[in-house]
Amino acid sequence: IELTDEQKEFQATARKFAVEEIIPVAAQYDRTGEYPLPLIKRAWELGLMNAHIPESCGGLGLGSFEACLITEELAYGCTGVQTAIEANSLGQMPLIIAGNEHQQKKYLGRMTEEPMMCAYCVTEPGAGSDVAGIKTKAEKKGDEYVINGQKMWITNGGKANWYFLLARTNPDAKAPASKAFTGFIVEADSPGIQIGRKEMNMGQRCSDTRGIVFEDVRVPKENVLMAEGAGFKIAMGAFDKTRPPVAAGAVGLAKRALDEATRYALERKTFGKAIVEHQAVSFLLAEMAMKVELARMAYQRAAWEVDAGRRNTYYASIAKAFAGDIANQVATDAVQIFGGNGFNTEYPVEKLMRDAKIYQV
């Protein structure tokens, strides 16, 4: 694929930012778990955030393909930082695909005026990929909906200005998922919202992940996306557009692991020669490179399909699953090439191995 000049420019800007500003501080953020606000502000200034926001709302209106190019480069620097940034796109996507003009200008527009986060509130303690199992309820009372329930593993949960929230509006347990759920825009400072503690995870530690409780939270009816009962369709449509960037993040991590392992293999000597000259190591690096290239092709196909206006669920699912697997394989292989040093926090690959696991679970 020949990239356009604009695509090359976004890619180069993101790459320079990752190498010069993210990588030098990534290990420190991993140790402390601190939210990378200075990096997020800088990414916003460089135009590397909110790429999907339409031009009518002050955004760049980029397609999924361009967003993926940026994401791969940011993830090369640190997937914790990249996830914090990319979660904005996930939170915004339901508004982009289903919001009316007033909703888009109000909630997307403000994100182009200053660095600001949003979050995608769908996952619950008992419902992750099983979206139809959501228990959070929204009951209509006059011109408002009253929301009660609990969400879990919400990225940017404690930093968001507003949430996209999926809740059940049809009390009939036998109602089909396609009609039972409604999507809402919820201001994060609404009374009744209780934000849980920051979870300290195995990897991607600087990303802000929390549980959120909604207790009698009142949301005006004008904050319903599309219509009552349309929430499940909106959420699934958002996944089609956001799965390719998740795959791109996994590829960025894998490429970083490959580069670190290659550099180390050229420098480390055993038995009188660089370990890259041992066939077992050189073959392993070759296999790692093949996996990175194929995973990149998978996410690019998925992004290209959706940008062309075609449903990409098949390709997006393949890209996300495959890239997640190869990120783990390549990071593990990188640790192996580093040997005992790979097990040590003074070297970068153990972090990559921890960060990679989330892509598979």
Side-chain angles (χ1 to χ4, degrees), residues 64 240 244 297-307 312 315-316 319:
S64 185
D240 285 347
M297 290 173 70
Y299 87 63
Q300 289 185 347
R301 173 67 188 269
W304 177 71
E305 287 287 342
V306 79
D307 285 347
N312 73 335
Y315 296 108

Side-chain angles (χ1 to χ4, degrees), residues 201-252:
N201 296 323
M202 173 182 175
Q204 301 195 4
R205 289 178 171 172
C206 67
S207 174
D208 185 83
T209 309
R210 300 176 190 248
I212 305 174
V213 175
F214 296 81
E215 189 174 340
D216 293 332
V217 177
R218 295 182 174 274
V219 178
K221 66 179 182 181
E222 54 263 28
N223 280 28
V224 168
L225 278 175
M226 198 177 287
E228 187 174 307
F232 186 80
K233 182 181 177 185
I234 294 167
M236 293 301 102
F239 285 143
D240 285 347
K241 286 182 177 284
T242 56
R243 277 188 178 127
V246 172
V251 172

Side-chain angles (χ1 to χ4, degrees), residues 62-119:
L62 299 183
S64 185
F65 192 92
E66 288 80 12
C68 284
L69 294 177
I70 293 169
T71 295
E72 181 183 337
E73 299 303 332
L74 296 179
Y76 185 93
C78 172
T79 54
V81 174
Q82 174 264 314
T83 294
I85 292 171
E86 188 57 37
N88 253 19
S89 297
L90 180 57
Q92 293 161 5
M93 195 54 66
L95 270 77
I96 292 169
I97 64 178
N100 59 39
E101 187 180 352
H102 171 73
Q103 290 168 339
Q104 289 187 352
K105 280 197 158 50
K106 181 177 180 180
Y107 291 100
L108 299 178
R110 69 175 69 164
M111 306 193 88
T112 66
E113 293 162 5
E114 60 179 299
M116 190 178 287
M117 312 311 285
C118 65

Side-chain angles (χ1 to χ4, degrees), residues 287-310:
E287 287 180 4
M288 292 160 70
M290 286 189 283
K291 289 171 180 176
V292 171
E293 292 295 332
L294 289 170
R296 182 180 293 119
M297 290 173 70
Y299 87 63
Q300 289 185 347
R301 173 67 188 269
W304 177 71
E305 287 287 342
V306 79
D307 285 347
R310 291 187 287 270

Side-chain angles (χ1 to χ4, degrees), residues 37-205:
L37 197 56
L39 292 175
I40 287 170
K41 286 180 175 177
R42 183 69 180 131
W44 184 87
E45 290 168 1
L46 291 169
L48 299 175
M49 273 179 70
N50 308 322
H52 294 292
I53 292 180
E55 293 180 61
S56 60
C57 298
L60 296 170
L62 299 183
S64 185
F65 192 92
E66 288 80 12
C68 284
L69 294 177
I70 293 169
T71 295
E72 181 183 337
E73 299 303 332
L74 296 179
Y76 185 93
C78 172
T79 54
V81 174
Q82 174 264 314
T83 294
I85 292 171
E86 188 57 37
N88 253 19
S89 297
L90 180 57
Q92 293 161 5
M93 195 54 66
L95 270 77
I96 292 169
I97 64 178
N100 59 39
E101 187 180 352
H102 171 73
Q103 290 168 339
Q104 289 187 352
K105 280 197 158 50
K106 181 177 180 180
Y107 291 100
L108 299 178
R110 69 175 69 164
M111 306 193 88
T112 66
E113 293 162 5
E114 60 179 299
M116 190 178 287
M117 312 311 285
C118 65
Y120 186 85
C121 281
V122 173
T123 303
E124 296 185 0
S129 298
D130 178 19
V131 175
I134 283 173
K135 297 281 193 291
T136 298
K137 291 186 172 73
E139 187 180 352
K140 191 170 187 185
K141 292 189 177 178
D143 289 340
E144 296 178 317
Y145 285 82
V146 179
I147 297 173
N148 284 282
Q150 184 180 358
K151 298 294 181 179
M152 191 61 200
W153 309 118
I154 305 304
T155 305
N156 288 342
K159 306 296 179 182
N161 176 266
W162 54 268
Y163 308 120
F164 165 74
L165 178 125
L166 193 65
R168 176 177 282 274
T169 44
N170 189 329
D172 182 0
K174 294 180 181 177
S178 58
K179 296 179 181 176
F181 301 99
T182 300
F184 297 90
I185 309 159
V186 183
E187 297 275 7
D189 60 0
S190 301
I193 293 178
Q194 300 163 34
I195 297 170
R197 64 178 174 83
K198 172 184 162 67
E199 301 290 339
M200 280 306 289
N201 296 323
M202 173 182 175
Q204 301 195 4
R205 289 178 171 172

Side-chain angles (χ1 to χ4, degrees), residues 265-266 268-270 272-282 285:
L266 288 165
R268 168 87 167 131
K269 288 184 170 58
T270 63
K273 58 184 177 182
I275 63 171
V276 76
E277 294 179 41
H278 296 298
Q279 199 172 60
V281 174
S282 62
L285 287 167

